[in-house]
Amino acid sequence: MYGLNTLNWNRHLTTIVWDKKVLAADRAHTGVFKTTYKRKIFSPEIETFFEGSQLMAFGGAGQSMYLNTFENMLLKQRSTSVSQVMNQLAQDAALSVKDINTSLLILTVDACYKVWLDGKNPLYENVTNTSVAIGSGARYARSILPKAGAFAALARAARRDKKTSCRIDWIGKAPGSKIKSASYRDQIWALLKDRILLRNSFSEND
């Protein structure tokens, strides 16, 4: 566990992706003094609902002191809505002198939502049918996510972003799904897939 003072200043420097099939994230957590390995996607222990559908999991990028609020809101309340999440983001932004860059991916059995701050303005999008990435390595993951899928996209992010690790957790949206850790074989294949796509892109540019 983190001490209170450390927790307030830790940042979830990570990459979280949705590839229209699974929600997946790396495990790196860079704190003030060291890097630890902690899950970045979470499932409720009780039956909870988001926008009227059963909540499967959510992942967040940003400062821990703000993300903890959403863990309590989404995982411990029986029902939560997009508007409640956006209102909380707006409150957090109003109380912060600097932009806090919180972004969330929220997965239900029916849909996946991205909710985030653009400066001080909370925004949301239903991304069920769109590949999307958030977090420090998102710009690297996005480039291959639609073509290569979640695991390879995270491998690309891990290779390019020192704040993203190769350890992967994932969950699908089917009822009863649980968060799983990617097998060693899956992680190796993801790394190879990233390398193959990179090599092919160089060949196309020759």
Side-chain angles (χ1 to χ4, degrees), residues 43-112:
S43 289
E45 295 182 0
I46 61 173
E47 187 176 49
T48 62
F49 295 85
F50 184 78
E51 288 294 296
S53 294
Q54 185 181 352
L55 177 69
M56 299 305 299
F58 95 98
Q63 291 184 5
S64 296
M65 64 181 293
Y66 299 111
L67 294 175
N68 289 343
T69 300
F70 294 105
E71 286 188 42
N72 290 324
M73 177 184 291
L74 292 165
L75 304 183
K76 297 180 181 179
Q77 294 183 178
R78 286 293 183 182
S79 180
T80 313
S81 66
V82 163
S83 60
Q84 287 175 282
V85 174
M86 292 177 70
N87 287 340
Q88 184 61 53
L89 283 173
Q91 291 178 37
D92 292 343
L95 294 172
S96 177
V97 176
K98 298 181 180 180
D99 290 346
I100 58 177
N101 300 318
T102 303
S103 54
L104 309 171
L105 286 177
I106 304 169
L107 180 65
T108 73
V109 295
D110 296 313
C112 185

Side-chain angles (χ1 to χ4, degrees), residues 117-157:
L117 280 170
D118 182 9
K120 299 288 185 180
N121 301 312
L123 301 171
Y124 92 95
E125 181 181 0
N126 184 323
V127 295
T128 306
N129 298 313
T130 306
S131 296
V132 64
I134 62 173
S136 60
R139 62 188 181 276
Y140 305 116
R142 288 189 197 107
S143 63
I144 66 169
L145 182 57
K147 180 187 296 184
F151 290 6
L154 288 170
R156 172 68 59 91

Side-chain angles (χ1 to χ4, degrees), residues 5-47:
N5 292 334
T6 302
L7 180 64
N8 286 345
W9 293 102
N10 279 348
R11 293 184 62 83
H12 282 243
L13 298 166
T14 186
T15 306
I16 304 169
V17 300
W18 163 251
D19 68 358
K20 299 187 283 188
K21 295 180 181 179
V22 302
L23 180 69
D26 78 302
R27 272 202 180 198
H29 180 102
T30 304
V32 176
F33 302 111
K34 64 179 181 179
T35 296
T36 56
Y37 295 93
K38 179 182 177 183
R39 277 188 170 164
K40 299 301 179 57
I41 51 177
F42 309 94
S43 289
E45 295 182 0
I46 61 173
E47 187 176 49

Side-chain angles (χ1 to χ4, degrees), residues 137-198:
R139 62 188 181 276
Y140 305 116
R142 288 189 197 107
S143 63
I144 66 169
L145 182 57
K147 180 187 296 184
F151 290 6
L154 288 170
R156 172 68 59 91
R159 184 167 57 79
R160 298 293 304 277
D161 174 37
K162 66 181 181 180
K163 300 163 187 172
T164 300
S165 83
C166 293
R167 303 186 188 189
I168 297 172
D169 294 315
W170 65 278
I171 185 172
K173 67 176 186 178
S177 296
K178 304 293 184 182
I179 296 173
K180 301 176 182 178
S181 295
S183 67
Y184 180 74
R185 180 178 179 180
D186 285 340
Q187 292 180 70
I188 291 297
W189 173 238
L191 292 168
L192 289 173
K193 199 170 184 180
D194 168 41
R195 293 290 183 177
I196 290 168
L197 289 170
L198 181 64

